[in-house]
Amino acid sequence: MNKTELVSAIQKKSDLTKKDIEKFLKSFEEVVSEELANGGKVQLVGFMTLEVAERKQREGRNPRTNETMVIPASKAVRFKVGKALKDAVNK
């Protein structure tokens, strides 16, 4: 499901206009991005948790040349599924 399909599906289940749903989704993306960029965490109980994980610098191998190389430290977004969502998927 892409964003357009998501907007249509939400519109069918609510009395909101597609324009309002698109505005909400854009705001949601911005707020979540800002919170994670500031090192925070977003938790929707029963649905999901998003948080930033620190990855340390480590050594890796180039698969083509088999040469060792340094993989720099980075940050990654970690997603944890909530119990209610997990139960809904496993029905």
Side-chain angles (χ1 to χ4, degrees):
M1 175 181 284
N2 63 30
K3 190 173 184 176
T4 304
E5 294 167 340
L6 178 62
V7 169
S8 294
I10 292 172
Q11 199 261 330
K12 288 177 185 174
K13 290 193 177 254
S14 70
D15 59 349
L16 300 171
T17 65
K18 285 186 178 184
K19 200 173 213 175
D20 288 340
I21 296 166
E22 287 170 354
K23 195 184 299 183
F24 167 78
L25 285 176
K26 183 168 177 51
S27 299
F28 180 77
E29 290 171 9
E30 289 173 2
V31 169
V32 169
S33 296
E34 288 170 8
E35 182 64 22
L36 294 175
N38 292 329
K41 138 176 152 173
V42 176
Q43 184 175 16
L44 302 175
V45 176
F47 186 64
M48 65 159 190
T49 301
L50 297 171
E51 59 189 340
V52 177
E54 300 279 339
R55 291 185 176 168
K56 295 180 182 175
Q57 178 175 312
R58 62 191 192 279
E59 203 172 274
R61 289 204 179 271
N62 182 332
R64 288 188 181 174
T65 64
N66 208 21
E67 238 176 75
T68 50
M69 56 190 259
V70 175
I71 301 169
S74 64
K75 294 179 182 179
V77 177
R78 189 167 284 157
F79 173 85
K80 290 186 206 172
V81 67
K83 184 174 177 0
L85 180 58
K86 186 187 286 187
D87 291 345
V89 169
N90 286 314
K91 264 189 179 177

